Amino acid sequence: MAGRPREVSPRVYDLVVRSRRTVLPTDTRAAAVAVSGPSIAAIASYGEHLDAARDVDLGDLPLLPGLVDTHVHVNEPGRTEWEGFATATRAAAAGGVTTICDMPLNSVPPTTSVAALRDKRAAAAGKCWVDVAFWGGAVPGNADSLLPLHQAGVVGFKCFLLDSGVPEFPPLAVAELRSVLGSLAAMDALLVVHAEDGSQVSTASGRDFSAFVASRPPVAERRAIEQVIAGAAATRARAHIVHLSAAECVAMIAGAKAAGIRLSAETCPHYLFFASEEVPDGATEFKCCPPIRGAVNREALWRGLEAGAIECVVSDHSPCPPELKSPGSGDFGAAWGGIASLQVGLSAVWTAARRRGGTLDHVARWMATAPAALAGLSAKGRVAVGYDADLVAFDPEESFMVDPARLEQRHPVTPYAGRTLTGRVRQTWLRGTSLLGPDSGTPDGEPAGRLLNRG
Ligand SMILES: [Zn+2]
């Protein structure tokens, strides 16, 4: 465009990353992202001359906001042999995830008091390759800890409505759920709920995957979500359904939102990628709760996501040692429920999304912008001026086979093993610093992740 050259104050940026396919909040277009210190200082045109200490031109390779994964079980301290901050955040960095929010359970102690949050932070300090924020827990008897945890900076509170799988994190009864929602409404804090109704769940055993799926039917999710909606409506609290699997609940969630109830929902890569029909009997690496359901359900989840009824796609990364995940018996009753996918979630979702006409704008919204907003992380999730310079160079065409040995998570157990995924993370920047070694795709240097508070 002809005209007077724009006056630019003479400054030297620390980093400029150029891409003809920069995924911005409004659209994807050619742009140059100029970084000063930890933050995005300017979005310029792709070819603009900018003085910078480093100038990286990705050409046609897309540039995305760093992903924000609000559903990660790190398990440290206490069950660090399952997963720890170093390994989880290395997997995150390799997978294009620049912020994780650690769930309050599976570590010991669980994050249900300020003292426990302090333990968490002490355990995480100096080990994290990406930024880490923390959820608090709402359990029977810790009502007095909710406000102090909120003031200490947790991004919200997690609760269960049925057995969580670990004895130190018991579920809330319906009356307790209502009481917690009332307390959190008063501080405008978010409650995220594992929504399955224990009275609708039966005990599964044996190698038959369809029997396991049948033991946790959609009605278990439906009944629990009804309780959450009723509680949120009565208290005006903000509530969020984690890892929605039963697509029949999408209409109910959309209806509640349309009625002005402050409700949101997430689903996970494994519910969008796999279908129960393809899971072999005894393949306990596919076990998670609620379960992976059939292909028809999966397509309905995609429609819920596309329609905006489900806002977020986050991993529910929840690893454990191989002997717990894959007991030799292949018994779905005995195996730990949880799928670890921090490193492959973006590729899995992209592989499935592109087949259905999805774009990188959608993926960035589901996996970065919406989760950051959910957790109240106001500097995260967008390639925009003033936001943290958390960026991902992503090749949407490159395919690769998932080799468990190349995963950075503590234990290389994954239902994605041997799957061919399309879309590969080529570089991840955390607050303007590149995390992955040249050509290796693995983190190098020193861990420089920060421990974040809400805000
Ligand atoms: Zn979880």
Side-chain angles (χ1 to χ4, degrees):
M1 188 168 58
R4 210 155 48 96
R6 200 194 317 166
E7 283 195 38
V8 184
S9 60
R11 68 185 296 181
V12 178
Y13 295 106
D14 296 305
L15 170 70
V16 169
V17 184
R18 302 171 192 270
S19 163
R20 291 198 187 87
R21 298 170 67 186
T22 304
V23 180
L24 300 169
T26 47
D27 60 349
T28 292
R29 59 183 152 89
V33 178
V35 178
S36 280
S39 306
I40 297 171
I43 307 288
S45 59
Y46 174 72
E48 187 159 330
H49 175 77
L50 299 162
D51 284 329
R54 285 202 68 209
D55 197 316
V56 179
D57 189 348
L58 300 175
D60 291 327
L61 201 65
L63 182 67
L64 276 62
L67 305 193
V68 177
D69 192 334
T70 50
H71 197 147
V72 177
H73 296 267
V74 174
N75 307 340
E76 183 173 3
R79 287 195 181 90
T80 310
E81 69 278 15
W82 291 23
E83 181 69 298
F85 284 102
T87 43
T89 58
R90 285 180 65 87
V97 178
T98 47
T99 304
I100 65 169
C101 300
D102 173 55
M103 279 293 170
L105 71 157
N106 302 349
S107 57
V108 182
T111 318
T112 51
S113 68
V114 170
L117 177 64
R118 239 178 260 130
D119 289 350
K120 268 278 186 195
R121 291 174 152 273
K127 292 179 191 162
C128 297
W129 290 80
V130 303
D131 287 353
V132 179
F134 300 92
W135 294 99
V139 294
N142 84 328
D144 291 345
S145 291
L146 300 178
L147 182 59
L149 277 165
H150 178 68
Q151 289 166 336
V154 297
V155 294
F157 295 86
K158 166 82 172 285
C159 75
F160 275 68
L161 301 180
L162 83 174
D163 178 24
S164 73
V166 292
E168 67 278 1
F169 200 94
L172 298 180
V174 169
E176 291 165 330
L177 169 69
R178 194 64 70 93
S179 165
V180 165
L181 282 167
S183 301
L184 297 188
M187 50 185 115
D188 199 26
L190 173 69
L191 185 68
V192 306
V193 185
H194 180 123
E196 286 182 291
D197 180 335
S199 71
Q200 303 289 338
V201 168
S202 55
T203 307
S205 64
R207 298 170 49 82
D208 182 352
F209 186 67
S210 59
F212 167 67
V213 176
S215 76
R216 305 185 87 105
V219 69
E221 291 186 65
R222 171 173 285 274
R223 292 288 170 259
I225 292 169
E226 285 169 356
Q227 291 295 348
V228 176
I229 290 173
T235 59
R236 301 289 302 145
R238 284 196 294 141
H240 174 81
I241 307 300
V242 295
H243 50 51
L244 181 74
S245 170
E248 66 172 52
C249 299
V250 167
M252 184 169 58
I253 291 168
K257 287 161 66 168
I261 293 166
R262 302 167 82 195
L263 186 72
S264 55
E266 70 188 35
T267 190
C268 306
H270 38 273
Y271 301 124
L272 296 168
F273 187 87
F274 297 115
S276 58
E277 292 91 338
E278 66 186 293
V279 178
D281 287 344
T284 51
E285 63 271 26
F286 288 87
K287 180 179 176 182
C288 56
C289 299
I292 293 164
R293 305 189 191 278
V296 170
N297 181 82
R298 176 182 63 192
E299 297 314 307
L301 280 177
W302 274 103
R303 287 194 291 278
L305 195 57
E306 288 153 6
I310 303 168
E311 290 91 345
C312 303
V313 181
V314 291
S315 69
D316 194 8
H317 182 87
S318 184
C320 69
E323 59 274 20
L324 294 178
K325 186 64 192 160
S326 300
S329 58
D331 184 332
F332 279 96
W336 174 256
I339 289 176
S341 67
L342 264 171
Q343 194 168 336
V344 297
L346 173 58
S347 301
V349 170
W350 174 239
T351 301
R354 72 201 294 262
R355 277 189 209 132
R356 295 167 174 82
T359 66
L360 290 175
D361 299 70
H362 294 123
V363 172
R365 193 168 73 231
W366 299 330
M367 303 187 82
T369 313
L374 176 78
L377 297 170
S378 56
K380 301 295 188 183
R382 289 170 189 257
V383 180
V385 172
Y387 281 71
D388 284 356
D390 297 346
L391 303 166
V392 178
F394 183 69
D395 185 337
E397 305 298 335
E398 188 181 339
S399 292
F400 68 101
M401 198 176 76
V402 177
D403 174 2
R406 294 194 57 121
L407 297 179
E408 299 286 336
Q409 63 196 48
R410 173 142 297 161
H411 300 291
V413 179
T414 172
Y416 294 96
R419 295 293 181 132
T420 298
L421 302 181
T422 302
R424 184 163 213 154
V425 172
R426 297 273 290 270
Q427 183 55 274
T428 305
W429 288 268
L430 176 68
R431 284 178 274 101
T433 301
S434 60
L435 298 180
L436 307 182
D439 307 320
S440 71
T442 58
D444 72 355
E446 294 295 325
R450 289 185 187 161
L451 307 184
L452 305 178
N453 289 326
R454 178 191 70 259

